[in-house]
Amino acid sequence: MSKLSGGCLCGNIRYKILKEPLLAYTCHCRFCQKDTGTAHRSALATLNEYVNLSGNELKVYTYKSEEHGRQLYKNFCPDCGTTISLKTERFPERQVIMLGTLDDPSQVQLSTHMFAEEAFHWVEFPKDHIVYARHRINEDGTPASPIN
Ligand SMILES: [Zn+2]
Ligand SMILES: [Zn+2]
């Protein structure tokens, strides 16, 4: 049983995560840079069934990646614009929740980085973290080998 909860800036959207996350990671890809408007996105991955939303309905923006042709769905508060979660065409049973929207982000341990090859040049990775050049799962479904 997880005690993780969070919400958007204005408080009109709240959520609880009912089970411990599968993974927490930081993604340095260009999509995450553009979408967050900053250097990277930190998020936790969980199954859809473990996310309990309350309050207003999330608004969805659908983005089609030019790189792999699949769709990404960004879910945000229509009132304050905070991105709460992302869903993907590739992993429809999962979603990722933005770590910064948690009430207490210190409850989640993070040691995985993806898309290091697109990271801002000043980003330094902690020595004991696991770093992937691109996604941790290859296009053919096999696990990628970390570069650190
Ligand atoms: Zn809001
Ligand atoms: Zn990304």
Side-chain angles (χ1 to χ4, degrees), residues 37-139:
T38 180
H40 37 60
R41 173 198 314 277
S42 294
L44 62 83
T46 185
L47 298 179
N48 293 327
E49 65 210 75
Y50 299 144
V51 180
N52 185 341
L53 281 162
S54 57
N56 282 5
E57 196 132 329
L58 287 164
K59 191 162 177 168
V60 183
Y61 169 69
T62 301
Y63 174 81
K64 185 172 172 146
S65 167
E66 281 177 22
E67 191 188 316
H68 50 64
R70 289 184 300 265
Q71 292 184 329
L72 300 154
Y73 313 100
K74 166 194 163 90
N75 306 300
F76 60 99
C77 173
D79 297 313
C80 68
T82 303
T83 300
I84 297 288
S85 62
L86 287 182
K87 295 186 185 182
T88 64
E89 190 180 341
R90 189 180 187 195
F91 302 108
E93 73 288 357
R94 295 183 179 202
Q95 60 182 287
V96 300
I97 303 281
M98 306 302 103
L99 275 197
T101 65
L102 287 168
D103 293 328
D104 180 7
S106 72
Q107 287 180 295
V108 175
Q109 299 300 314
L110 186 152
S111 60
T112 298
H113 297 262
M114 295 198 286
F115 287 88
E117 66 180 32
E118 295 181 11
F120 279 26
H121 69 87
W122 44 260
V123 169
E124 288 183 33
F125 300 100
K127 285 196 170 48
D128 58 341
H129 282 201
I130 303 162
V131 180
Y132 295 91
R134 300 185 63 72
H135 202 282
R136 54 188 279 275
I137 302 169
N138 294 320
E139 281 293 320

Side-chain angles (χ1 to χ4, degrees), residues 27-32 41 115:
C27 185
H28 301 263
C29 82
R30 286 293 297 144
F31 168 76
C32 290
R41 173 198 314 277
F115 287 88

Side-chain angles (χ1 to χ4, degrees), residues 8-13 77 79-82:
C8 65
L9 264 182
C10 75
N12 287 347
I13 291 170
C77 173
D79 297 313
C80 68
T82 303

